[in-house]
Amino acid sequence: MENEALAGAVMLSARTAARLTGRTSRTLQRWCEEGTLPSVTVNGKGKRMIPVDALAPWLPPLPLDDALRALLGRAEGGDGEAALGLGLMLMEAGKPVPALAWFQEAAEGGNADAMHWLYQAYFQGLGTPRNRTLGIKWLAEAALRGHAIAMRQIEQLRLGP
């Protein structure tokens, strides 16, 4: 696709597009190289940016409206609240596996709500094998950042039944 045709489009890196679609970054890059998927090369190292609208056939059941496009653009720019929002949308759509990737990104940026979601996912086995130790780690991280529910849950664990 010509660069002019993509002007104004919300563009995602192959990494972000992979996280959203459930495909690997390598698969998406191969599709770009083959011309199956439109993209723009943005630097001399060959980094490809993919228009979100071109990913529509592989997107989870989410409405690809202006609000979602804006959320994706913010998440691509590293906005932790946007990453959390995408994780919540995907969880609500019944797609816990890609939701966890967005929660992870937001949590790594210090988002306590995302940390609490990771606790729930690992503790209950939502989209990932159950790992209570890792779940408790994320619960503690959320509590350390002042997440009120996490703090109460840690207190309940400390006091016991």
Side-chain angles (χ1 to χ4, degrees):
M1 215 179 226
E2 296 294 320
N3 288 357
E4 298 81 35
L6 297 177
V10 173
M11 304 295 283
L12 304 178
S13 65
R15 179 177 173 258
T16 299
R19 186 175 296 145
L20 185 63
T21 63
R23 303 301 193 274
T24 65
S25 294
R26 183 64 201 127
T27 294
L28 294 175
Q29 287 185 8
R30 183 172 39 82
W31 289 351
C32 291
E33 291 164 5
E34 294 169 351
T36 305
L37 192 60
S39 67
V40 174
T41 304
V42 294
N43 63 23
K45 297 179 182 176
K47 179 178 179 179
R48 295 192 184 268
M49 298 296 286
I50 303 166
V52 69
D53 290 329
L55 298 168
W58 302 282
L59 291 178
L62 299 174
L64 188 53
D65 56 14
D66 289 342
L68 180 58
R69 285 183 187 91
L71 193 63
L72 286 165
R74 289 184 16 239
E76 176 68 36
D79 183 321
E81 286 296 318
L84 173 66
L86 285 168
L88 293 171
M89 289 176 73
L90 288 162
M91 193 62 86
E92 187 174 302
K95 300 292 184 183
V97 174
L100 289 181
W102 292 103
F103 291 148
Q104 185 76 37
E105 181 167 318
E108 288 171 0
N111 187 295
D113 286 331
M115 292 172 189
H116 193 256
W117 273 99
L118 286 173
Y119 148 69
Q120 292 177 80
Y122 284 113
F123 206 77
Q124 299 171 28
L126 301 172
T128 185
R130 180 180 269 179
N131 183 332
R132 290 187 175 199
T133 302
L134 192 52
I136 294 296
K137 174 220 178 250
W138 282 113
L139 180 65
E141 290 288 335
L144 285 172
R145 283 172 175 71
H147 191 278
I149 296 170
M151 290 167 62
R152 283 193 301 272
Q153 289 171 317
I154 289 288
E155 186 64 18
Q156 288 173 342
L157 288 173
R158 191 180 70 77
L159 296 175

